[in-house]
């Protein structure tokens, strides 16, 4: 299958609407053409600065304006971050992601500290990823020079549905940051969340935006909404796992080389449901010993190790030369 960047929404819709078992089969063929089906990239995500964010993302418990149980935590000390990264590496992770609840990166001492964190984790031989909010070109360049391998900046949803979820920034702000990351030579991690009250057309539109980029994101996380008490979306219905599988399979087919990450919401899935996601083309997951994904529940490290053992999947080694 050729790598295409000219998908139409109608073509993606047709893929998405394929009968599910046939869709999984087609996605698994594409997956085997471009990836080792017995390997999964294991990533660890650490919240290096938690809560107190000025944004109003309706799903997020870290927004300062919502009354949630999440405790605000200032930027972690460098050594604590490096110790956590070493534990992650020892447990089989090849990518270490650091997240700060900021609207945007500011050129201050906190950013200087993040630069030191990136340098330290990079020196361990791990793929370093950050998600810090909006970035300028110069800030992206500083991160690249420090050894940053990937930058996560999710689209979250479609351009049309975006304003129903977030009002404190625009969809175009997301695209601008992704462009700045690309210009700096950093790989892109960008996906979205399903379960935000969107329609199927919004899911198709989000995948269309990603799959028609000049370069596909090297990593596309597919998240299921984790309902956080105190946020506007706390009463949204649980995402149907079949919808997650359908999204993963469609992403795999339209972006064959991309790492498709089974992300938030995994804690509510059975081992069998997760296995179906891997069959449908997911080949990346978050795991760690703190049983959280930022501030939401995630399966324990021991449960994940058992899952991989049962499925015969091996943790992937770091591929710093990986490019599309």
């Amino acid at each position: 299958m050729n790598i295409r960047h000219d998908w139409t929404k109608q073509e993606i819709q047709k893929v998405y609407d394929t009968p599910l078992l046939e869709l999984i089969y087609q996605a698994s063929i594409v997956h085997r053409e471009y990836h080792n089906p017995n390997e999964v990239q294991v990533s660890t995500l650490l919240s290096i600065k938690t809560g107190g964010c000025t944004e109003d993302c309706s799903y997020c418990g870290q927004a300062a304006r919502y009354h949630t149980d999440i405790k605000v935590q200032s930027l972690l000390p460098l050594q604590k971050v490096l110790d956590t990264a070493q534990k992650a590496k020892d447990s089989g992770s090849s990518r270490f992601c650091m997240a700060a609840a900021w609207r945007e990166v500011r050129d201050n001492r906190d950013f200087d500290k993040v630069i030191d964190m990136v340098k330290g984790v990079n020196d361990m031989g791990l793929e370093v990823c950050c998600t810090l909010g909006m970035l300028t070109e110069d800030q992206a360049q500083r991160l690249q020079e420090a050894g940053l391998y990937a930058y996560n900046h999710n689209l979250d949803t479609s351009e049309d549905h975006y304003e129903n979820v977030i009002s404190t920034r625009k969809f175009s702000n997301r695209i601008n940051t992704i462009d700045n990351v690309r210009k700096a030579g950093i790989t892109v991690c960008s996906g979205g969340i399903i379960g935000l009250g969107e329609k199927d057309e919004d899911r198709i539109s989000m995948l269309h935006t990603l799959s028609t980029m000049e370069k596909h994101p090297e990593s596309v996380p597919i998240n299921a909404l984790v309902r956080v008490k105190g946020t506007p979306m706390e009463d949204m219905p649980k995402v149907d796992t079949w919808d997650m599988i359908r999204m993963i399979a469609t992403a795999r087919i339209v972006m064959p080389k991309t790492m498709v990450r089974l992300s938030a919401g995994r804690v509510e899935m059975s081992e069998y449901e997760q296995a179906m996601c891997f069959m449908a083309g997911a080949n990346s997951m978050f795991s760690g010993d703190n049983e959280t994904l930022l501030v939401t529940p995630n399966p324990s490290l021991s449960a994940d190790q058992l899952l991989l053992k049962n499925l015969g999947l091996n943790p992937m080694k770091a591929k710093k030369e990986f490019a599309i």
Side-chain angles (χ1 to χ4, degrees):
M1 181 177 179
N2 295 327
I3 307 297
R4 290 180 51 190
H5 300 264
D6 61 349
W7 290 94
T8 66
K9 288 182 181 179
Q10 292 76 15
E11 287 175 318
I12 299 174
Q13 184 78 58
K14 187 176 179 182
V15 173
Y16 185 85
D17 289 339
T18 301
L20 189 64
L21 293 181
E22 177 63 21
L23 176 61
I24 293 171
Y25 173 67
Q26 294 296 339
S28 68
I29 292 174
V30 174
H31 183 65
R32 280 161 172 72
E33 185 176 346
Y34 289 94
H35 304 272
N36 181 340
N38 299 319
E39 284 188 343
V40 170
Q41 182 193 57
V42 179
S43 304
T44 296
L45 178 61
L46 175 67
S47 181
I48 59 172
K49 184 268 177 185
T50 307
C53 184
T54 59
E55 300 274 38
D56 70 350
C57 307
S58 301
Y59 55 81
C60 184
Q62 299 201 66
R65 67 193 67 204
Y66 306 140
H67 300 290
T68 68
D69 294 333
I70 294 165
K71 293 180 174 62
V72 176
Q73 166 203 284
S74 58
L75 197 66
L76 292 176
L78 173 63
Q79 195 55 51
K80 182 172 179 57
V81 172
L82 297 182
D83 289 346
T84 306
Q86 187 61 55
K87 283 182 187 175
K89 181 179 180 181
D90 294 344
S91 298
S93 288
S94 60
R95 177 176 290 200
F96 189 74
C97 307
M98 297 180 283
W102 291 329
R103 168 181 163 76
E104 61 202 340
V105 173
R106 299 187 185 278
D107 294 307
N108 57 20
R109 279 183 294 179
D110 277 352
F111 186 42
D112 293 339
K113 291 174 185 175
V114 171
I115 293 292
D116 289 338
M117 293 174 189
V118 170
K119 288 177 180 175
V121 176
N122 182 57
D123 287 344
M124 293 179 188
L126 288 162
E127 293 177 5
V128 197
C129 179
C130 280
T131 179
L132 312 169
M134 293 183 284
L135 276 182
T136 65
E137 277 189 62
D138 288 344
Q139 290 164 344
Q141 191 60 45
R142 279 193 69 192
L143 286 165
Q144 190 275 335
E145 289 168 1
L148 190 72
Y149 179 76
Y151 195 81
N152 167 262
H153 205 60
N154 288 335
L155 298 182
D156 290 340
T157 188
S158 70
E159 185 170 9
D160 288 343
H161 188 56
Y162 196 83
E163 62 184 15
N164 300 321
V165 180
I166 302 158
S167 71
T168 48
R169 60 169 184 252
K170 298 185 184 307
F171 190 82
S172 58
N173 296 140
R174 311 301 275 174
I175 300 297
N176 289 342
T177 290
I178 291 171
D179 288 344
N180 290 339
V181 168
R182 275 280 178 232
K183 287 174 191 170
I186 300 167
T187 65
V188 171
C189 173
S190 185
I193 307 168
I194 63 172
L196 303 177
E198 77 282 355
K199 299 173 182 171
D200 281 353
E201 301 94 271
D202 294 305
R203 297 175 183 179
I204 300 308
S205 179
M206 183 187 75
L207 290 176
H208 179 257
T209 299
L210 295 169
S211 64
T212 55
M213 288 178 173
E214 190 174 339
K215 288 180 78 173
H216 293 161
E218 283 79 2
S219 177
V220 171
I222 303 295
N223 298 275
L225 173 67
V226 177
R227 296 148 294 171
V228 179
K229 188 174 174 54
T231 64
M233 291 195 170
E234 65 175 319
D235 295 324
M236 294 295 282
K238 178 183 178 294
V239 171
D240 192 318
T241 302
W242 298 124
D243 288 350
M244 280 289 283
I245 293 168
R246 194 172 286 280
M247 278 293 286
I248 287 167
T250 305
R252 169 55 62 223
I253 289 170
V254 300
M255 294 174 281
K257 281 190 175 181
T258 293
M259 305 296 292
V260 178
R261 181 169 295 134
L262 176 57
S263 296
R266 200 161 59 82
V267 73
E268 293 192 79
M269 292 183 185
S270 69
E271 210 174 73
Y272 309 108
E273 289 172 318
Q274 292 178 68
M276 291 289 280
C277 291
F278 291 123
M279 282 181 65
N283 61 340
S284 181
M285 61 189 276
F286 281 114
S287 187
D289 61 3
N290 58 1
E291 297 185 32
T292 59
L293 192 55
L294 286 186
V295 293
T296 57
N298 201 52
S300 68
L301 178 62
S302 58
D304 283 341
Q305 289 173 336
L306 182 60
L307 171 69
L308 296 182
K309 181 182 177 184
N310 287 342
L311 298 182
L313 296 172
N314 301 309
M316 196 178 288
K317 291 191 169 76
K319 294 184 178 178
K320 291 200 175 184
E321 313 309 317
F322 175 85
I324 291 179

